Amino acid sequence: MSTRTPTKAHRRLTRLAATAVTLAAVTAGLVGVSGGPAQAAGCRAAPYSAKFGAADAFMQYNGVEIISYPKYPSYYRTTSQCKDIQVRNTGNGKDYGPFDACINFYGRATCNYWTHVPVGQWRNLATNVKDGTKFYVWVRIDLGKYYGFTAVGDW
């Protein structure tokens, strides 16, 4: 049998309930923060760091193509205005469709990981990138399904 008085038991339950509510709020906050690419948004309203895209005007290609931006020997460089490298698909969903993108850091032979970028959405392609880091954005699009793509980037 418990020796606690009803007042002490009530206080203990109140503290447990408050802890549970706090834990739930913190967990909900972490879910929002760790949502990763789906939660990305440009770190500034505009102008963005870059605008890029491609179109198969003469319908020469009929399959998946990988395109690097900017064109070699140029490269992008991160700024102090953003911690992440982010891309927004500005396509219309019909002619200019979704694509996959990744970051190829300068001097590397491959990219970090491919991220799907749906039409009208922002996606983080790399997080917590050091200021002044040189990189390329690689875009993979199926030119058999879409005419091309358009995008903006922020870093």
Side-chain angles (χ1 to χ4, degrees):
M1 211 160 137
S2 176
T3 59
R4 293 189 187 120
T5 64
T7 307
K8 286 183 183 177
H10 177 69
R11 276 190 234 155
R12 185 166 189 251
L13 285 174
T14 303
R15 274 188 248 139
L16 283 171
T19 303
V21 168
T22 303
L23 183 60
V26 169
T27 302
L30 287 175
V31 168
V33 171
S34 67
Q39 300 298 322
C43 61
R44 57 183 166 236
Y48 298 113
S49 301
K51 187 176 185 178
F52 48 95
D56 185 11
F58 299 106
M59 293 193 259
Q60 302 178 46
Y61 301 98
N62 190 19
V64 176
E65 293 291 324
I66 297 175
I67 309 163
S68 180
Y69 292 94
K71 300 297 181 201
Y72 183 82
S74 299
Y75 50 81
Y76 294 128
R77 187 185 296 258
T78 57
T79 67
S80 61
Q81 295 189 17
C82 298
K83 288 184 178 181
D84 304 332
I85 299 173
Q86 307 167 356
V87 170
R88 180 173 188 260
N89 184 334
T90 56
N92 61 14
K94 289 185 175 189
D95 296 327
Y96 296 92
F99 58 86
D100 298 323
C102 69
I103 300 302
N104 172 243
F105 291 103
Y106 188 83
R108 302 264 171 96
T110 61
C111 66
N112 56 354
Y113 50 87
W114 289 101
T115 302
H116 185 68
V117 186
V119 173
Q121 300 288 314
W122 282 99
R123 291 293 187 260
N124 280 334
L125 302 182
T127 57
N128 296 320
V129 182
K130 184 179 173 185
D131 293 348
T133 301
K134 301 174 191 176
F135 67 95
Y136 302 94
V137 177
W138 286 2
V139 175
R140 179 173 62 192
I141 184 156
D142 187 348
L143 293 176
K145 290 183 182 179
Y146 300 101
Y147 179 70
F149 78 95
T150 59
V152 293
D154 222 359
W155 40 81

Short mmCIF file of all heavy atoms in Angstrom, two decimals, residues 106-141:
data_model
loop_
_atom_site.label_atom_id
_atom_site.label_comp_id
_atom_site.label_asym_id
_atom_site.label_seq_id
_atom_site.Cartn_x
_atom_site.Cartn_y
_atom_site.Cartn_z
N TYR A 106 33.62 20.24 -55.33
CA TYR A 106 34.78 20.49 -56.19
C TYR A 106 35.92 19.54 -55.85
O TYR A 106 36.27 19.34 -54.70
CB TYR A 106 35.23 21.94 -56.00
CG TYR A 106 36.29 22.39 -56.96
CD1 TYR A 106 35.95 22.82 -58.23
CD2 TYR A 106 37.63 22.39 -56.59
CE1 TYR A 106 36.93 23.25 -59.11
CE2 TYR A 106 38.61 22.81 -57.47
CZ TYR A 106 38.25 23.24 -58.72
OH TYR A 106 39.21 23.66 -59.60
N GLY A 107 36.46 18.91 -56.89
CA GLY A 107 37.57 17.98 -56.71
C GLY A 107 37.16 16.54 -56.46
O GLY A 107 38.00 15.66 -56.35
N ARG A 108 35.86 16.28 -56.38
CA ARG A 108 35.37 14.92 -56.16
C ARG A 108 34.87 14.35 -57.48
O ARG A 108 34.44 15.08 -58.37
CB ARG A 108 34.22 14.91 -55.15
CG ARG A 108 34.57 15.51 -53.81
CD ARG A 108 34.97 14.42 -52.82
NE ARG A 108 35.50 14.95 -51.60
CZ ARG A 108 34.80 15.13 -50.50
NH1 ARG A 108 33.53 14.83 -50.48
NH2 ARG A 108 35.38 15.60 -49.43
N ALA A 109 34.86 13.05 -57.59
CA ALA A 109 34.43 12.39 -58.83
C ALA A 109 32.94 12.07 -58.84
O ALA A 109 32.37 11.84 -59.89
CB ALA A 109 35.24 11.12 -59.05
N THR A 110 32.32 12.03 -57.66
CA THR A 110 30.90 11.66 -57.57
C THR A 110 30.16 12.68 -56.72
O THR A 110 30.76 13.52 -56.05
CB THR A 110 30.72 10.27 -56.94
OG1 THR A 110 31.26 10.30 -55.62
CG2 THR A 110 31.42 9.20 -57.76
N CYS A 111 28.84 12.56 -56.73
CA CYS A 111 28.03 13.48 -55.93
C CYS A 111 27.69 12.85 -54.58
O CYS A 111 27.88 11.65 -54.37
CB CYS A 111 26.78 13.91 -56.68
SG CYS A 111 25.59 12.63 -57.01
N ASN A 112 27.13 13.68 -53.68
CA ASN A 112 26.84 13.20 -52.33
C ASN A 112 25.71 12.17 -52.31
O ASN A 112 25.91 11.05 -51.88
CB ASN A 112 26.53 14.37 -51.39
CG ASN A 112 25.40 15.26 -51.86
OD1 ASN A 112 24.87 15.11 -52.96
ND2 ASN A 112 25.01 16.21 -51.03
N TYR A 113 24.49 12.51 -52.74
CA TYR A 113 23.35 11.59 -52.83
C TYR A 113 22.28 12.25 -53.67
O TYR A 113 22.17 13.47 -53.71
CB TYR A 113 22.79 11.23 -51.44
CG TYR A 113 22.51 12.45 -50.57
CD1 TYR A 113 21.29 13.11 -50.65
CD2 TYR A 113 23.47 12.93 -49.69
CE1 TYR A 113 21.03 14.23 -49.88
CE2 TYR A 113 23.22 14.05 -48.92
CZ TYR A 113 22.00 14.70 -49.01
OH TYR A 113 21.76 15.81 -48.25
N TRP A 114 21.50 11.46 -54.35
CA TRP A 114 20.44 11.99 -55.21
C TRP A 114 19.20 12.30 -54.39
O TRP A 114 18.79 11.50 -53.55
CB TRP A 114 20.10 11.00 -56.33
CG TRP A 114 21.18 10.89 -57.34
CD1 TRP A 114 22.12 9.90 -57.45
CD2 TRP A 114 21.47 11.81 -58.39
NE1 TRP A 114 22.97 10.14 -58.49
CE2 TRP A 114 22.58 11.32 -59.10
CE3 TRP A 114 20.90 13.01 -58.82
CZ2 TRP A 114 23.14 11.97 -60.19
CZ3 TRP A 114 21.44 13.67 -59.91
CH2 TRP A 114 22.55 13.15 -60.58
N THR A 115 18.61 13.46 -54.66
CA THR A 115 17.40 13.90 -53.97
C THR A 115 16.35 14.23 -55.02
O THR A 115 16.62 14.99 -55.96
CB THR A 115 17.68 15.15 -53.11
OG1 THR A 115 18.71 14.84 -52.17
CG2 THR A 115 16.43 15.64 -52.40
N HIS A 116 15.14 13.69 -54.86
CA HIS A 116 14.05 13.98 -55.80
C HIS A 116 13.50 15.38 -55.50
O HIS A 116 13.27 15.74 -54.34
CB HIS A 116 12.94 12.95 -55.66
CG HIS A 116 11.86 13.12 -56.67
ND1 HIS A 116 12.07 12.88 -58.02
CD2 HIS A 116 10.58 13.53 -56.55
CE1 HIS A 116 10.94 13.14 -58.67
NE2 HIS A 116 10.03 13.54 -57.80
N VAL A 117 13.31 16.19 -56.55
CA VAL A 117 12.82 17.56 -56.41
C VAL A 117 11.52 17.69 -57.20
O VAL A 117 11.53 17.93 -58.41
CB VAL A 117 13.86 18.59 -56.91
CG1 VAL A 117 13.39 20.01 -56.61
CG2 VAL A 117 15.23 18.32 -56.28
N PRO A 118 10.36 17.55 -56.53
CA PRO A 118 9.07 17.68 -57.22
C PRO A 118 8.82 19.11 -57.67
O PRO A 118 9.40 20.06 -57.12
CB PRO A 118 8.05 17.27 -56.15
CG PRO A 118 8.82 16.64 -55.06
CD PRO A 118 10.21 17.18 -55.14
N VAL A 119 7.94 19.28 -58.61
CA VAL A 119 7.59 20.60 -59.12
C VAL A 119 7.06 21.47 -57.98
O VAL A 119 6.24 21.03 -57.17
CB VAL A 119 6.53 20.48 -60.24
CG1 VAL A 119 6.03 21.85 -60.67
CG2 VAL A 119 7.12 19.74 -61.43
N GLY A 120 7.56 22.71 -57.91
CA GLY A 120 7.11 23.67 -56.92
C GLY A 120 7.67 23.49 -55.52
O GLY A 120 7.27 24.19 -54.60
N GLN A 121 8.61 22.58 -55.33
CA GLN A 121 9.13 22.27 -53.99
C GLN A 121 10.60 22.64 -53.84
O GLN A 121 11.36 22.61 -54.80
CB GLN A 121 8.99 20.77 -53.72
CG GLN A 121 7.58 20.26 -53.78
CD GLN A 121 6.78 20.71 -52.59
OE1 GLN A 121 7.24 20.64 -51.46
NE2 GLN A 121 5.57 21.18 -52.85
N TRP A 122 10.97 23.01 -52.61
CA TRP A 122 12.37 23.19 -52.22
C TRP A 122 12.88 21.86 -51.68
O TRP A 122 12.14 21.11 -51.04
CB TRP A 122 12.50 24.21 -51.10
CG TRP A 122 12.40 25.63 -51.52
CD1 TRP A 122 11.29 26.43 -51.44
CD2 TRP A 122 13.43 26.43 -52.08
NE1 TRP A 122 11.59 27.67 -51.92
CE2 TRP A 122 12.90 27.71 -52.31
CE3 TRP A 122 14.77 26.19 -52.40
CZ2 TRP A 122 13.65 28.74 -52.85
CZ3 TRP A 122 15.52 27.22 -52.94
CH2 TRP A 122 14.96 28.48 -53.15
N ARG A 123 14.15 21.59 -51.90
CA ARG A 123 14.81 20.42 -51.31
C ARG A 123 16.23 20.80 -50.91
O ARG A 123 16.93 21.50 -51.63
CB ARG A 123 14.87 19.24 -52.29
CG ARG A 123 13.52 18.63 -52.59
CD ARG A 123 12.95 17.95 -51.35
NE ARG A 123 11.75 17.22 -51.65
CZ ARG A 123 10.53 17.66 -51.40
NH1 ARG A 123 10.34 18.84 -50.87
NH2 ARG A 123 9.47 16.91 -51.67
N ASN A 124 16.66 20.31 -49.73
CA ASN A 124 18.05 20.45 -49.31
C ASN A 124 18.87 19.40 -50.03
O ASN A 124 18.54 18.22 -49.99
CB ASN A 124 18.19 20.22 -47.81
CG ASN A 124 17.81 21.44 -47.00
OD1 ASN A 124 17.88 22.56 -47.49
ND2 ASN A 124 17.40 21.22 -45.77
N LEU A 125 19.94 19.83 -50.66
CA LEU A 125 20.83 18.88 -51.33
C LEU A 125 22.07 18.61 -50.49
O LEU A 125 22.73 17.58 -50.68
CB LEU A 125 21.23 19.41 -52.71
CG LEU A 125 20.08 19.70 -53.67
CD1 LEU A 125 20.62 20.17 -55.02
CD2 LEU A 125 19.20 18.48 -53.85
N ALA A 126 22.40 19.52 -49.59
CA ALA A 126 23.50 19.33 -48.65
C ALA A 126 23.24 20.26 -47.47
O ALA A 126 22.77 21.37 -47.65
CB ALA A 126 24.84 19.65 -49.31
N THR A 127 23.55 19.80 -46.27
CA THR A 127 23.30 20.60 -45.08
C THR A 127 24.59 20.92 -44.34
O THR A 127 25.58 20.19 -44.44
CB THR A 127 22.34 19.87 -44.10
OG1 THR A 127 22.91 18.62 -43.77
CG2 THR A 127 20.98 19.65 -44.75
N ASN A 128 24.55 22.05 -43.63
CA ASN A 128 25.69 22.51 -42.82
C ASN A 128 27.00 22.55 -43.61
O ASN A 128 28.01 22.01 -43.19
CB ASN A 128 25.85 21.65 -41.57
CG ASN A 128 24.66 21.78 -40.66
OD1 ASN A 128 24.13 22.87 -40.47
ND2 ASN A 128 24.23 20.68 -40.09
N VAL A 129 26.94 23.20 -44.76
CA VAL A 129 28.12 23.29 -45.64
C VAL A 129 28.93 24.52 -45.26
O VAL A 129 28.39 25.61 -45.08
CB VAL A 129 27.69 23.35 -47.12
CG1 VAL A 129 28.90 23.39 -48.03
CG2 VAL A 129 26.80 22.17 -47.46
N LYS A 130 30.22 24.35 -45.14
CA LYS A 130 31.13 25.43 -44.76
C LYS A 130 31.09 26.56 -45.79
O LYS A 130 31.02 26.30 -47.00
CB LYS A 130 32.54 24.86 -44.64
CG LYS A 130 33.57 25.83 -44.17
CD LYS A 130 34.93 25.15 -44.07
CE LYS A 130 36.00 26.16 -43.77
NZ LYS A 130 37.33 25.54 -43.78
N ASP A 131 31.12 27.80 -45.33
CA ASP A 131 31.15 28.96 -46.23
C ASP A 131 32.36 28.88 -47.16
O ASP A 131 33.44 28.50 -46.75
CB ASP A 131 31.23 30.27 -45.43
CG ASP A 131 29.98 30.54 -44.61
OD1 ASP A 131 28.98 29.85 -44.82
OD2 ASP A 131 30.03 31.45 -43.75
N GLY A 132 32.15 29.26 -48.41
CA GLY A 132 33.23 29.27 -49.39
C GLY A 132 33.50 27.94 -50.07
O GLY A 132 34.43 27.82 -50.85
N THR A 133 32.69 26.93 -49.79
CA THR A 133 32.87 25.61 -50.39
C THR A 133 32.50 25.65 -51.87
O THR A 133 31.45 26.15 -52.24
CB THR A 133 32.01 24.56 -49.66
OG1 THR A 133 32.40 24.51 -48.29
CG2 THR A 133 32.17 23.18 -50.28
N LYS A 134 33.35 25.11 -52.71
CA LYS A 134 33.10 25.06 -54.16
C LYS A 134 32.32 23.79 -54.50
O LYS A 134 32.62 22.73 -53.95
CB LYS A 134 34.42 25.05 -54.93
CG LYS A 134 35.31 26.24 -54.67
CD LYS A 134 36.64 26.04 -55.38
CE LYS A 134 37.66 27.05 -54.96
NZ LYS A 134 38.97 26.77 -55.59
N PHE A 135 31.38 23.92 -55.43
CA PHE A 135 30.57 22.76 -55.78
C PHE A 135 29.87 22.95 -57.12
O PHE A 135 29.82 24.05 -57.67
CB PHE A 135 29.52 22.47 -54.70
CG PHE A 135 28.46 23.53 -54.60
CD1 PHE A 135 27.25 23.40 -55.27
CD2 PHE A 135 28.67 24.68 -53.85
CE1 PHE A 135 26.27 24.38 -55.19
CE2 PHE A 135 27.69 25.65 -53.75
CZ PHE A 135 26.50 25.51 -54.43
N TYR A 136 29.32 21.84 -57.61
CA TYR A 136 28.47 21.81 -58.80
C TYR A 136 27.13 21.20 -58.39
O TYR A 136 27.07 20.38 -57.48
CB TYR A 136 29.07 20.93 -59.90
CG TYR A 136 30.43 21.35 -60.35
CD1 TYR A 136 31.57 20.79 -59.78
CD2 TYR A 136 30.59 22.31 -61.35
CE1 TYR A 136 32.84 21.17 -60.20
CE2 TYR A 136 31.85 22.70 -61.76
CZ TYR A 136 32.97 22.13 -61.18
OH TYR A 136 34.21 22.51 -61.58
N VAL A 137 26.07 21.56 -59.08
CA VAL A 137 24.77 20.91 -58.91
C VAL A 137 24.60 19.99 -60.10
O VAL A 137 24.69 20.43 -61.25
CB VAL A 137 23.62 21.93 -58.86
CG1 VAL A 137 22.28 21.21 -58.76
CG2 VAL A 137 23.79 22.90 -57.70
N TRP A 138 24.39 18.71 -59.84
CA TRP A 138 24.10 17.75 -60.91
C TRP A 138 22.60 17.51 -60.93
O TRP A 138 21.99 17.26 -59.88
CB TRP A 138 24.82 16.43 -60.68
CG TRP A 138 26.30 16.47 -60.95
CD1 TRP A 138 27.05 17.54 -61.33
CD2 TRP A 138 27.20 15.37 -60.85
NE1 TRP A 138 28.36 17.17 -61.46
CE2 TRP A 138 28.48 15.85 -61.17
CE3 TRP A 138 27.04 14.05 -60.51
CZ2 TRP A 138 29.60 15.04 -61.18
CZ3 TRP A 138 28.17 13.23 -60.51
CH2 TRP A 138 29.43 13.73 -60.85
N VAL A 139 22.02 17.59 -62.10
CA VAL A 139 20.58 17.38 -62.27
C VAL A 139 20.36 16.18 -63.19
O VAL A 139 20.98 16.09 -64.25
CB VAL A 139 19.90 18.64 -62.86
CG1 VAL A 139 18.44 18.38 -63.15
CG2 VAL A 139 20.06 19.81 -61.91
N ARG A 140 19.48 15.31 -62.76
CA ARG A 140 19.13 14.12 -63.55
C ARG A 140 17.65 14.23 -63.89
O ARG A 140 16.81 14.31 -63.02
CB ARG A 140 19.40 12.87 -62.72
CG ARG A 140 19.07 11.56 -63.41
CD ARG A 140 19.53 10.37 -62.60
NE ARG A 140 18.85 10.32 -61.30
CZ ARG A 140 19.22 9.52 -60.30
NH1 ARG A 140 20.25 8.72 -60.42
NH2 ARG A 140 18.55 9.54 -59.16
N ILE A 141 17.35 14.25 -65.21
CA ILE A 141 15.96 14.38 -65.66
C ILE A 141 15.70 13.42 -66.81
O ILE A 141 16.59 13.16 -67.63
CB ILE A 141 15.62 15.83 -66.07
CG1 ILE A 141 14.14 15.93 -66.44
CG2 ILE A 141 16.54 16.32 -67.17
CD1 ILE A 141 13.56 17.28 -66.32
#
